[in-house]
Amino acid sequence: MAAQHNQVFFPGSLGELFNAWTRFPDAVPFAGGTEIIRGQRSSSLVLPKNILALSEIEELSRMSRTERYLEIGAMVKLRDIIRLGKIVPEALTRSLEGVAGPHLRGLATIGGHICHAACRLDCTAALIALDAIYELRNAQNVRWISAARFSQPGRLALEKQELLTRVRIPLDQWDFSAYRKFGDRNSGAEGGVLIFIMKNRKNILTSLRSVFAGECLLRDQDSEAALTGKHLPLSHRDAQDFFSRWRETLSSSEKPSPLIKSEILGCIESLIYNLAD
Ligand SMILES: Cc1cc2nc3c(=O)[nH]c(=O)nc-3n(C[C@H](O)[C@H](O)[C@H](O)COP(=O)(O)OP(=O)(O)OC[C@H]3O[C@@H](n4cnc5c(N)ncnc54)[C@H](O)[C@@H]3O)c2cc1C
């Protein structure tokens, strides 16, 4: 029997893409390809049977901004988002800069980064903390979904033959942004990122977000809400409550590993007590 050949489609528009996807429902979107070919060391690559290369769809590479939002097409490379400079919220820039090395950041796309199914990659925590939303399309519909709902633990909220097409990030002013990376994803080991951002208006803490993304997603919105509206510096008791809630969140979660849990907790402790008197 003749060997089956791989087919690679290069649609020039979303219409063409969904056309091909309807004919070949098993086809896999291929963005930068860094995850798809990761870890392959033999001379011939093992690829999905049918591939939908996204590189020729011009609208997926667009970026635009308004006063309130930054919009980034799914095929924009991580490197090119960093190059936008100061308009990109610091939490996201630092997360992007922490992904692998410059070569990989020049290949990997924001869409492929977000749609990595096995675990939540580094920029996920910032995108959730910043209230980003994602545009998803299939052959018939367009829908928007929050980064938090999209990246729910367990599985991505991506339906069959649905494509992530755009990311919209609110351009709010955050007065303090902390980024901390754990583990070493470069070597394929367990890892993750903690983002902690806050707004301070006349010594009132008006908004606070703390999100961990890695093998799992961790966030305790009750503890964030409990501090909103409090005077800065925080009281020792408020800081203690916040820390205790994070400790509970971590101890009730199966993942990440005990080592990363204790590193996250140490980081939360120093960040929150820095805001206290
Ligand atoms: C050596 C190395 C080091 C790394 N280090 C880090 C690190 O330090 N931190 C970190 O966070 N990550 C790290 N990564 C992972 C890296 O971030 C991802 O490989 C990369 O972001 C994926 O982007 P891509 O465009 O190459 O996606 P692809 O490999 O093309 O696709 C990834 C997945 O998403 C799907 N997909 C792609 N685009 C879309 C879309 N628009 N809509 C729907 N589905 C889509 C594909 O079908 C595939 O399943 C590393 C990877 C390598 C190889």
Side-chain angles (χ1 to χ4, degrees), residues 17-264:
L17 174 126
F18 289 118
N19 219 323
W21 220 346
T22 307
R23 285 185 293 128
F24 298 95
D26 65 339
V28 173
F30 188 101
T34 62
E35 204 57 58
I36 293 175
I37 63 171
R38 184 173 195 164
Q40 296 198 32
R41 306 213 191 286
S42 75
S43 53
S44 53
L45 289 175
V46 179
L47 292 169
K49 192 167 138 252
N50 293 308
I51 288 178
L52 293 166
L54 305 180
S55 55
E56 305 298 308
I57 307 175
E58 193 264 327
E59 75 170 271
L60 297 180
S61 294
R62 286 190 204 138
M63 288 191 272
S64 66
R65 71 165 287 195
T66 66
E67 243 173 61
R68 295 173 56 207
Y69 300 110
L70 175 62
E71 283 198 353
I72 304 172
M75 282 298 286
V76 174
K77 313 269 192 294
L78 305 187
R79 173 200 61 198
D80 295 334
I81 306 173
I82 298 170
R83 285 183 177 166
L84 290 174
K86 283 207 177 325
I87 59 163
V88 182
E90 185 185 342
L92 181 57
T93 302
R94 293 186 65 190
S95 305
L96 290 162
E97 287 170 344
V99 175
H103 182 64
L104 185 115
R105 295 196 295 269
L107 293 172
T109 65
I110 191 69
H113 190 82
I114 293 168
C115 293
H116 176 62
C119 66
R120 304 299 144 255
L121 295 179
D122 289 4
C123 298
T124 310
L127 290 166
I128 292 174
L130 295 166
D131 282 338
I133 56 173
Y134 303 153
E135 184 189 67
L136 305 177
R137 291 195 188 203
N138 65 18
Q140 285 84 34
N141 296 313
V142 181
R143 65 180 176 123
W144 286 89
I145 185 168
S146 70
R149 279 198 54 215
F150 183 81
S151 301
Q152 277 304 304
R155 139 190 137 80
L156 298 175
L158 199 59
E159 302 295 336
K160 280 201 173 117
Q161 291 164 38
E162 198 171 38
L163 194 75
L164 185 143
T165 44
R166 243 188 310 174
V167 177
R168 182 183 286 170
I169 303 161
L171 293 175
D172 289 352
Q173 180 65 47
W174 292 92
D175 299 295
F176 176 77
S177 299
Y179 154 90
R180 174 78 195 276
K181 180 161 169 143
F182 307 96
D184 179 13
R185 281 221 169 105
N186 252 318
S187 66
E190 183 193 14
V193 159
L194 178 76
I195 293 291
F196 181 99
I197 53 178
M198 68 143 209
K199 291 181 189 169
N200 166 10
R201 297 285 175 271
K202 298 185 178 161
N203 288 338
I204 305 282
L205 195 161
T206 55
S207 193
L208 172 76
R209 313 272 165 78
S210 50
V211 181
F212 170 82
E215 304 305 307
C216 64
L217 267 181
L218 298 171
R219 180 181 184 185
D220 178 16
Q221 285 177 276
D222 289 342
S223 67
E224 294 171 5
L227 291 186
T228 305
K230 299 271 182 182
H231 276 270
L232 290 168
L234 297 173
S235 68
H236 183 85
R237 189 191 170 131
D238 283 336
Q240 177 66 45
D241 283 350
F242 185 86
F243 174 72
S244 303
R245 282 178 195 245
W246 255 97
R247 190 169 47 203
E248 276 164 37
T249 302
L250 284 163
S251 65
S252 60
S253 172
E254 208 180 298
K255 293 176 180 171
S257 66
L259 176 65
I260 291 190
K261 278 184 184 174
S262 82
E263 288 181 354
I264 296 171

